[in-house]
Amino acid sequence: MSTFAKPENALKRAEELINVGQKQDALQALHDLITSKRYRAWQKPLERIMFKYVELCVDLRRGRFAKDGLIQYRIVCQQVNVTSLEEVIKHFMHLSTEKAEQARSQAQALEEALDVDDLEADKRPEDLMLSYVSGEKGKERSDRELVTPWFKFLWETYRTVLEILRNNSKLEALYAMTAHRAFQFCKQYKRTTEFRRLCEIIRNHLANLNKYRDQRDRPDLSAPESLQLYLDTRFEQLKVATELELWQEAFRSIEDIHGLMCMVKKTPKASLMVVYYAKLTEIFWISSSHLYHAYAWLKLFTLQKSFNKNLSQKDLQMIASSVVLAALSVAPYDHTQGASHLELENEKERNMRMANLIGFNLDLKPESREALSRSSLLSELVSKGVMSCATQEVKDLYHLLEHEFLPLDLTAKVQPLLSKISKLGGKLTSASSVPEVHLSQYVPALEKLATLRLLQQVSQVYQTMKIESLSQMIPFFDFSAVEKISVDAVKHNFIAMKLDHMKHVVLFDTQDLESDGLRDHLTVFAESLNKARAMIYPPTKKSSKLGEILLGLGEIVDKEHKRLLARKSIIEKRKEEQERQLLEMEREEESRRLKQQKITEEAEQKRLAAEYEQRNKQRILREIEERELEEAQALLEEHEKRSKRKGGKKPILEGVSLYLLKFTFQYFGGCAQYDNFISMQEKVTKQILMERALSEQLRERQEMEKKLQKLVKTMDYLERAKREEAAPLIEAAFQQRLVEEKALHEHEQQQEIELSRQRHDGDLREKNRLSRMLEYKIIFEVRVQSRRESEFNQRRAEREERINQIVQARKQEREALRKKIFFVRSEEERLNRLREEEEARKHEEAERRRKEEAEHKAKLDKIAEKQRQRERELEEKERIRREALLVDGPSRSSELPAGPEPGAAAAPAPGKYVPRFRRGGTEGSAQAPPETDRWGGGSGRPAPPDSDKWSSGSARQPPSDTDRWGSGGSRPDDRNPSSDRWGGGSKSTWSSSRPRGR
């Protein structure tokens, strides 16, 4: 077992071994590292090592190594980083699945390759003998050797992962995903044996979960998430079992789901319950339990009607028809008639068990256990309105079979209804969880029911009837089948009849006046006469005194009914409010519990991590001290033995007693009370001991080599002498053996000749005896050959006819496909042509818009250029006028009339421009503004007459489309002459913030 200072070194060593082709050694090195006790603390390199480890396990198909490594890694990661374990397991399953798929894709005959009953069984002796005897292996055997080992390994992978993840609350989702993938594996490759084992494994895991409730990381089934995962796994198991037609396993899955519900005392969602009852209907129909099948359909109908809001009227009608036909398919007599007490008890227990499965009745009352019967089911269908939702054909059939008395015409009226019903059915569009409804499966049971009803009604009318007449009245079956049905009905006391084949008649037992059948018949006859008399002589109506007395009874009843309805609604609201409060309390309690559990787990993890680190440090120190003490003690003991064996040599350390040193190492070597001097003395002692021991070993090795050389020379002389003496004896023995074997050969040859002569005589006698049968043998061969030749010709003709039909069908399919392709291509060409025309039209429209915009832009640029030219002229005039004012200013100031103060500006005349420095204060009247501020701030120059058309805000740029024509967006041709130049009252984008100066 190799040891590494760091886990990374082991990974590097494994990669080196893989590069040179030694994968087994690399796997063993990583396995030693993972299972070692030195690396029990999780670290990131261990995850990379596990990835490489599972890759090697998959490549070499070492399932046992993979299981051991994953178990050790689970111990390391469980309390520190369980996500790492999840990633490793997912990688392991991905690699196994990928390898199996690669092997499957390489095999050409998958069905032959997978024809193995049990993946865990070893090879049979016949297969081993065949593999050794036959020199050239067939294709089937090569496929088997290629695919089956990888499928075995994949199955072992699923089992290993489920075993590692079982009963682990932190990896419940991964456990459920693995179970689902294992189910899909069994479903895809039709592995029925492995599916049974998988179901048993999951069942045992749940049983152990309930058995050992004090486990540390045990899943809590009361949590909604855990319960949903377990339920999804069981429902997937149920679906796969029904698809594989393992009905016994499907029924056990139903019991598992019911047991899980009983365990947590909660009912799953309605969508899951629909799947549950849909699968129950299939299971009960396959097992010929028609009564339970009908009850399961009734539950399914109730769930769909209550919870499926998208259920269409057609689908509801089909489900209701299935319920009614399933109820009618139940036999109209009791099968427990005349059974023993033990059989009755077993039947009672079975009814209780099935009632629990169908209705989830956890605490049934004794009187409700007998409620599962055909009569109660039919009455319940009528009371719940199922009959009103069924199709008209089903209603008519129910009325004929249950309420009409037509001894002669019953089958004639039932047969067209059955032919119509057999054509109904199909996939339900608004109920995806419900399987396809096939009403035709109920036709045989309904034909049997119609036959029983006909026999029952005929027995009430006739005493004797010919068999031919009875056969003509029943067109469904041959008379042999009718005879079997009647025997079963007589056995269960449904009818009383006898068959006389000698006279070809059917005898119905005569019943006296007090019998139930005749009394009912007379009662019905009396009621019919009473109705006819009432129709002929209608009774006169008399005024009712009770109606006069109770005039307001209707109003009182309506008021009372409304009061009861209001009270019922109030009670329902109170119940809903109470349930809501209970749910909120449960939710708060669950959140509080989860929070407390999380805090406790975090504290526990921190404590465990601290303790683990402390234990590691103490263990490392203790191991180092123990290793030093053991090495020194071993050297001392070895020297002591040698000194005793060789006669009292000097001790290795002079002045120190051997036993005293041993005592010191044994009792005081690991104590912390020893000072540095003692530790240095121990180190020196160990070094001296090792040197002396090495020199002693070298001397002993040299002495041993000398002894071996001497012994080799002695053995050589002895062996040569023995061979010289034995050579003549061996030659004499050989000659004597030749003589004996020659005599023995001659004796055996004589015996063989005698036996051959006897066998030849016996064969001649046997030939003479069998020659009499030669003629019969030839006749028999000719007859067999002629019969087989006729069969061969017939089958060849059938095959040719079938091939011709297939060829014609394929020709028609190809013709339809050609027409479809032609239509699709023509439609694509039409769509492409329309698309191109649309693109051309859009392109022309874009070109036209682009030209209009260019013309519009050119017009606007021309207008802007005129405006700029006008402004430049105005600015030039203003500049000339200012210069004239600046030159003439002092001379004109003395000529101004006296009026206002010297510092005040003269009032401007209306319509006359006044410079800013003249409108300002005293300082402004003394001097003109500097040249640099002449155009600053938009106030240093006079505004043009139409100054409103350009407003302040942006640099000197052409206006945008939105601001150019004002807020209203009107064109220049539409502006109002009395308003601003460009209308709309909006400002132009030209402002006074343009560059100062020219």
Side-chain angles (χ1 to χ4, degrees), residues 598-851:
K598 186 177 180 181
I599 294 172
T600 307
E601 288 180 356
E602 291 178 354
E604 184 68 17
Q605 288 180 0
K606 291 180 181 178
R607 184 184 65 79
L608 290 174
E611 290 181 356
Y612 186 72
E613 292 292 334
Q614 186 177 1
R615 285 198 302 270
N616 279 341
K617 292 179 182 179
Q618 294 176 359
R619 179 179 57 79
I620 292 170
L621 294 175
R622 187 168 60 253
E623 286 179 357
I624 294 173
E625 293 173 358
E626 290 176 356
R627 191 180 300 111
E628 295 287 339
L629 290 175
E630 287 175 359
E631 291 177 357
Q633 187 174 357
L635 291 173
L636 287 173
E637 289 177 355
E638 185 179 357
H639 182 74
E640 183 181 356
K641 290 178 183 178
R642 290 176 182 172
S643 61
K644 288 181 180 179
R645 186 169 61 250
K646 297 183 178 181
K649 291 186 178 181
K650 281 186 177 183
I652 296 177
L653 296 177
E654 296 180 359
V656 180
S657 175
L658 182 65
Y659 294 99
L660 180 60
L661 185 61
K662 182 177 180 181
F663 177 80
T664 302
F665 275 113
Q666 185 173 0
Y667 291 94
F668 298 101
C671 297
Q673 299 175 356
Y674 259 58
D675 55 5
N676 295 331
F677 175 76
I678 297 298
S679 62
M680 292 295 294
Q681 185 69 24
E682 289 177 357
K683 292 179 182 177
V684 173
T685 303
K686 177 183 175 183
Q687 185 177 2
I688 295 172
L689 285 172
M690 291 178 66
E691 292 176 356
R692 294 288 179 87
L694 290 174
S695 62
E696 185 71 20
Q697 289 178 2
L698 182 61
R699 187 180 60 78
E700 289 180 356
R701 189 180 296 110
Q702 292 175 356
E703 291 178 357
M704 183 61 68
E705 289 178 356
K706 292 179 181 179
K707 289 181 181 180
L708 286 175
Q709 290 177 359
K710 187 177 180 181
L711 183 62
V712 165
K713 189 179 291 185
T714 304
M715 293 296 294
D716 187 18
Y717 287 134
L718 181 61
E719 185 65 24
R720 187 182 294 112
K722 285 168 61 179
R723 291 187 180 183
E724 288 177 357
E725 292 293 330
L729 298 176
I730 292 172
E731 181 65 24
F734 176 70
Q735 294 298 330
Q736 184 179 359
R737 180 69 178 272
L738 285 177
V739 174
E740 291 177 356
E741 287 186 352
K742 184 177 181 181
L744 180 61
H745 173 68
E746 292 176 355
H747 178 67
E748 289 180 351
Q749 190 173 8
Q750 290 295 330
Q751 287 183 350
E752 183 66 25
I753 291 170
E754 185 65 27
L755 289 174
S756 297
R757 186 180 292 109
Q758 292 176 3
R759 282 197 297 269
H760 179 68
D761 295 340
D763 291 342
L764 288 176
R765 288 193 300 269
E766 186 70 17
K767 178 181 178 182
N768 295 329
R769 188 178 68 85
L770 295 177
S771 61
R772 297 175 299 166
M773 301 174 60
L774 181 60
E775 183 179 357
Y776 300 103
K777 169 182 171 293
I778 294 171
I779 294 172
F780 178 73
E781 286 180 352
V782 171
R783 190 186 325 151
V784 171
Q785 289 176 358
S786 62
R787 188 180 71 250
R788 290 183 179 177
E789 184 178 1
S790 61
E791 291 179 357
F792 172 73
N793 294 332
Q794 182 181 358
R795 292 185 180 180
R796 182 170 60 184
E798 292 176 355
R799 177 175 174 274
E800 291 177 355
E801 183 179 357
R802 188 166 58 253
I803 289 174
N804 292 332
Q805 292 177 358
I806 293 173
V807 168
Q808 292 298 327
R810 289 182 178 176
K811 286 183 179 179
Q812 293 176 0
E813 290 177 359
R814 286 196 298 271
E815 186 65 24
L817 182 62
R818 289 195 196 97
K819 291 182 180 179
K820 185 176 180 181
I821 292 172
F822 175 75
F823 175 75
V824 171
R825 287 179 180 175
S826 60
E827 187 67 20
E828 289 179 354
E829 291 176 358
R830 187 181 64 81
L831 293 176
N832 290 332
R833 187 167 60 254
L834 291 176
R835 194 182 301 111
E836 291 174 358
E837 292 176 357
E838 183 67 20
E839 290 178 356
R841 188 184 59 78
K842 290 182 179 179
H843 182 69
E844 293 176 359
E845 184 69 20
E847 288 292 334
R848 187 180 59 79
R849 289 180 181 176
R850 196 178 301 111
K851 290 180 181 179

Side-chain angles (χ1 to χ4, degrees), residues 127 143 314 364 547 704 859 872:
D127 297 337
D143 291 339
K314 182 180 178 181
L364 284 173
M704 183 61 68
K859 188 183 295 185
R872 283 196 297 270

Side-chain angles (χ1 to χ4, degrees), residues 136-148:
E136 204 175 65
K137 298 180 180 179
K139 186 176 185 303
E140 294 81 3
R141 200 178 313 155
S142 63
D143 291 339
R144 182 188 301 273
E145 291 180 357
L146 180 64
V147 177
T148 305

Side-chain angles (χ1 to χ4, degrees), residues 893-905:
S893 60
S894 59
E895 297 175 359
L896 291 174
E901 295 181 358

Side-chain angles (χ1 to χ4, degrees), residues 865 867-877:
E865 183 64 28
Q867 184 66 26
R868 286 194 295 272
Q869 183 67 26
R870 183 179 178 185
E871 286 185 356
R872 283 196 297 270
E873 293 175 356
L874 291 175
E875 287 175 0
E876 185 65 24
K877 290 179 180 180

